[in-house]
Every structure is written in structure tokens, then in C-alpha cells.
Amino acid sequence: MAGFEDFKNSVGVDFDFSPGAQIPLSGAGRGHTVVGQALASVAYRDGAPQEICEPNDQAEVTAPKFSLLEPNLGEAFSRAIETRMLNEGRAPLIQSFGAEPQTVVEHSLAAKRIRRQRDLRLTLIMGIFGVLFLPGVLMWLGLFQLRRTLAGSQDRRAGILGIALLAAVAVVIVLAVFQLPLDGGWRLYILSMLPAPVLAWFWARQVCEKAAQNLRAHWADLLGGGGAGVQIPEAVPQNPNDSEAERLRLGLAKIGAEQSSNLIYYAGPKGILGMGVRWGSWQLAEELEPSEPGGDIDPFRSWDIARAMQDRLRMLERGPLHTGGFPPPSIEHWVVRHVGENATSVTRPEGPSAEGYRISNIEVQRICNEQQFDSGDRHYLGVQFVLWDGDLVITMLITVTVLHRTLRIEVTGHALGPVHGFFHKKPAAKTKKVPHPVKFWQTQEQPVPLVHAREVVRLAARAPLTWFPERLDKYGGTLKLPEPFGLRHTWAVKPWRHRFMADDALRAATPVLRVAHQAALEVLAENGVDISKFDARAQNLSGQVQGADPKKADEYNM
């Protein structure tokens, strides 16, 4: 437990690590967004794991060695999320602005628990019939594996040749059984080996159908606006030696601490990871001259202007008219690190300037005042609006630099759009077309079970191996998430195809730009700087920003 206390003290996570802690409740004390619930819904889904490549083709699905052990979409996603976000020594995560990453992780663990309960019953069934009728069970599994090898794993038909081959193999097995030179009880046992697994299949199908209905209910509930109260009992230690629960609790606390980091990453033309691409830029750059001829300028620093801007930006939600307007913004001093367009990983804050996952305030001020040219991290003052239930994240970043006698104030706009529509797909009822009982010339939809025969066999074959996840990954295949990984930006699309989202992004630029300039002019005037040129330039920019339109600002038209 010493490691736990050290981590808690280093990052300042407000989390109860006492043995008597309550069962963590998904989202307790945190705001929920539609985006977070849409992402979490994938953990409960069925279907092919390759479907996750639709919103982002950078996701990699490893082919299984045995297609009978291949996971479905929900199983692969839950496993990938747990492995990527909770394992010790994992790579850093990108902040998920507009979504709560812990909610997605907690739902992945909840879906895993539902499947684990199902697999426990299936393992019991496989244990009983596998011990008593092992040869017959192996024969049936072999036939289903042969069928999946011929037809593929995603419910494609085997074709006439494949069906004929399977029928021939089955006939050969039956004839071989009847030709065995056995009498009495042994002959009855051998003859019962083939039909006995069929009885096990009927039993297993009831278990699988009930679990599938439960998973789909959670899927539909999340996309319908509910599902915010999932419990994570496996994250509560049952005894001092419960290392697995400790690992989960530490991982969840670590995600929360990392989410509050003030270090962000600029990936070239891809923009800032987690905030989106830069779509607009406005620069005010003029020479510092004393307001009094022959006078001097009082010493001041870039941080003085940044702090004044911060104070003024906090008042954005207030206005002379009661018209709704801006919601309360999130204002943060960011340290921005360049990682390159094709970076596959990022680095955590390290060294004496790091406080857990944050850069210390003293170091942020030093970067703002001194690190304005050449290599190294840069300082940006950011004002962020999370709108449309997390579907739109607008971030305006402001940087102040002084080179020789030129002071430059740059305001840039970043926008992160909604997640791909794939995550908002609701579960569709499984039906088949049958002739109408009265109007024989018409057909009608008839509901069918959620779990078909081949799926029952797949789940039963995987069940005993779910207690050995590394082995199951090796033989059944895995899902690798895109890197650098962050739950929000990985599956985001551009906001410009949505008329109102685009309007919101464009409208936010003008007031933020004007407030930043006003705050800067006040500081300059207080320190004896001639602000006439700055004021004229600010008014010119104020006129230009009214006609702001999105551009590929990070590509410089090169």
C-alpha cells in the first residue's frame, strides 16, 4: 500500500483508498456527456471487431490463429481499453476534452463482468460435458472450426463445396462410431457422445441469450441517455492482498490525474492532440515605445499580460444583455510540446518541474517569460468551451512573445468535432422475413434469437480461456488502438459539416480576441508603453475577425 500512498500524494488525487471504500460509481461527482456514453456503448456491442476500423482505420485487428476463438467487437474493445488504459507501465494518454475517460473504462469493466458471469456458467457446462463426453465435444468443435475456416468467421456461408465437405466429414464420423467393435455399456457411451454435446448446446444457448439481452439493454440505455450509474465492485479490495483490485483502483485514479494535466502536444498539421486542428490565426505585433518622449518603459513580463488576460477571460460569460451567450469557460495555462505529425507516442512531465502529471506553476511562468524562441516547450493561455453535450470542443489559445522591441500577441482557434456516427448506432432487433399467415403474397419480419448456433459454439469455446487472457489474445487475436491514444480525438470528425457547430466555432473567436487585446492594452498602458499603434492594429484585427472563416492554418498553404 506504500506505492498507493506515494502515488496519491504525488498527483493529489482526491480518492478514498481506505479498505472500507464504497463501490466506485461510474461518473460519481463528474459531468456526463453524450460523447462519453456513446464511446462506452461499444463495450456492450456485438458484431465483428473490424467494425471499429470504420471511424478510424488506424486501429489494427490482429487475425486469430483459431477463428473459433476470435472476439466480437465488444469483447475486443473492452479488452483493448483495459489493456491500454489500466496496465502498469502503459504509455501516456491524450486528454479527452468533452468526454470523461473514466466513464468509458468503467463501462468496459462492467461489460467484462457481465461476460465473465456468462463465461463462468459456460465453463461449468463445458467442464461437465467435456469430461464426460470429451471425444464428442472435440468432434463438434472440430466441425465448427472447419466450417469457420471454410466460410470465414463473420457469418458468411460456406458455399456448396464447403457444405458438402462438412456433410461428408460428419457422415464419416458417424459411420466410424457405428463400426467400432464394442458391446454393452461402452457401445452406449460411444453412441451418446455425439448427441450429448447437442444437449449442452441447448443449455449454453439459454445462458448466452440471457447475457446478450443484458448487454444490449446496457447498449441501448447508454445511447438513450441513461446508464450513468454502473458500479465497479472489482475495483474495491476485499482483503489487503487483493492485488487485482488495487491495480484497477490505481489505474482509475491515474487516468483522472492524467486527464487534468496541463501538458498538451502539437502534432504539426494534425493540430493539438485532443483539441483539433488550428483553423484560424490572428496576430498583433508592434514595437514597444515609451508613451512619453525620452521616457522609459516600466519593466514587465509576458506573464503579466497573460495573467491580465486570464482575469478578463473569466468574465466572458457575463454581458450587458441577458441573452444566454457563453457558458462558463475553462481557462488554463497550457504547456505545449511539439511531437511531430507522425508521432506514435508522447512523453509525461518529468524532472523537478513536474508535479504529478502537471507542470508546476513556477515552470509555467518561466516558460511564458523566457522560452519564446528556439527549441523547447511553449506557453499558451487557453479558453475552452465544451458544447453540444461534448460533441464540440472549441479552444482559443493565446500566446505572448517579446523579441527585441516587438511584442506579439497571437490568438489561434482550434475546434474538435463530434465523434464518428458509428458510436451513436443503436442496437437493431434481429429479425428474419417469413410469409404472412393470411396474405400469403406478402412477407413479415419475425424476431429471432440474438445468439445463433455458431455464436453459442464460439462463446462456449472461448469461455474456459477467459481466465487466461494472454493466451486468449494469442490464439484469438487482439485489437490495437490508434496511437497516440486519447478516447476523444481518436474518433473525432470535422465540425464544419454541421452548420450550427461551425457557427459556434466562428462566433467564439471575436469576443475572445477583443478581450485578450483589451487586457493587453491595459497592461501596456500601465507600464508606460505607447499603445496608439497597438490600439490601431487591434481595431483592424477586430474588423478582420468578424469575417473569420475556417482555413488550414497549420499547413501554411505550402
Side-chain angles (χ1 to χ4, degrees), residues 14 69 84 107 118 163 187 244 262 281 337 340 353 411 453 463 466 489 493 514 521 527:
D14 186 15
L69 300 178
R84 179 63 182 84
H107 277 283
R118 175 201 65 195
I163 293 175
R187 183 175 182 81
E244 178 63 14
N262 60 352
S281 176
R337 181 170 296 174
S353 62
V411 180
T466 53
H489 83 279
V493 298
R514 289 174 175 170
L521 292 177
N527 288 276

Side-chain angles (χ1 to χ4, degrees), residues 198-452:
V198 177
L199 298 177
W201 176 85
F202 278 107
W203 186 6
R205 181 172 184 172
Q206 301 300 319
V207 173
C208 296
E209 183 71 16
K210 184 176 180 181
Q213 292 173 357
N214 191 5
L215 290 168
R216 284 206 159 205
H218 282 81
W219 174 6
D221 195 27
L222 280 171
L223 295 182
V230 62
Q231 293 183 346
I232 315 297
E234 50 272 279
V236 179
Q238 303 299 317
N239 56 72
N241 298 321
D242 195 345
S243 58
E244 178 63 14
E246 294 290 337
R247 181 185 72 85
L248 294 179
R249 286 167 59 83
L250 176 61
L252 290 171
K254 183 178 179 182
I255 292 171
E258 205 163 4
Q259 175 75 357
S260 63
S261 173
N262 60 352
L263 177 63
I264 54 178
Y265 308 91
Y266 217 129
K270 291 183 178 179
I272 294 180
L273 300 179
M275 292 184 180
V277 298
R278 183 173 64 158
W279 62 266
S281 176
W282 302 271
Q283 301 183 29
L284 185 157
E286 293 294 342
E287 187 176 1
L288 292 171
E289 296 179 347
S291 57
E292 299 291 337
D296 293 324
I297 296 174
D298 295 335
F300 68 93
R301 295 197 170 200
S302 300
W303 180 254
D304 298 327
I305 297 179
R307 282 298 305 272
M309 290 180 180
Q310 179 187 13
D311 295 338
R312 292 293 293 268
L313 288 171
R314 294 188 187 279
M315 309 299 291
L316 275 174
E317 60 183 295
R318 301 182 183 181
L321 302 178
H322 182 67
T323 58
F326 282 127
S330 172
I331 300 174
E332 178 71 80
H333 289 276
W334 296 104
V335 175
V336 183
R337 181 170 296 174
H338 176 75
V339 295
E341 180 179 2
N342 298 316
T344 57
S345 62
V346 295
T347 57
R348 293 190 180 96
E350 295 178 351
S353 62
E355 297 177 351
Y357 291 96
R358 293 181 61 87
I359 304 295
S360 67
N361 292 332
I362 294 177
E363 179 66 8
V364 171
Q365 295 183 36
R366 187 197 69 80
I367 294 173
C368 177
N369 291 324
E370 303 175 10
Q371 209 154 304
Q372 302 176 358
F373 206 64
D374 204 1
S375 61
D377 300 333
R378 302 292 173 87
H379 166 270
Y380 285 79
L381 173 64
V383 53
Q384 187 175 86
F385 301 95
V386 177
L387 309 172
W388 294 84
D389 291 324
D391 256 341
L392 177 63
V393 180
I394 300 173
T395 309
M396 303 298 296
L397 295 179
I398 308 166
T399 181
V400 181
T401 59
V402 180
L403 297 176
H404 187 47
R405 300 183 63 87
T406 299
L407 182 141
R408 179 184 296 269
I409 299 172
E410 183 177 5
V411 180
T412 59
H414 295 256
L416 189 69
V419 294
H420 195 279
F422 166 80
F423 296 95
H424 294 282
K425 292 181 180 178
K426 295 184 178 181
K430 292 190 176 182
T431 60
K432 67 177 181 179
K433 290 185 177 181
V434 297
H436 195 280
V438 178
K439 301 177 182 179
F440 57 87
W441 60 90
Q442 296 181 359
T443 59
Q444 64 179 10
E445 298 288 340
Q446 183 180 27
V448 298
L450 297 175
V451 184
H452 51 69

Side-chain angles (χ1 to χ4, degrees), residues 28 46 68 96 106 121 130 203 302 350 466:
D46 43 40
L68 199 59
S96 299
E106 289 162 353
R121 296 180 176 89
W203 186 6
S302 300
E350 295 178 351
T466 53

Side-chain angles (χ1 to χ4, degrees), residues 19 33 124 142 192 264 268-269 294 316 353 380 394 448 491 513 535 541 558:
T33 64
L124 176 63
S192 66
I264 54 178
L316 275 174
S353 62
Y380 285 79
I394 300 173
V448 298
W491 293 293
L513 179 79
D535 190 28
L541 285 177
M558 301 287 287

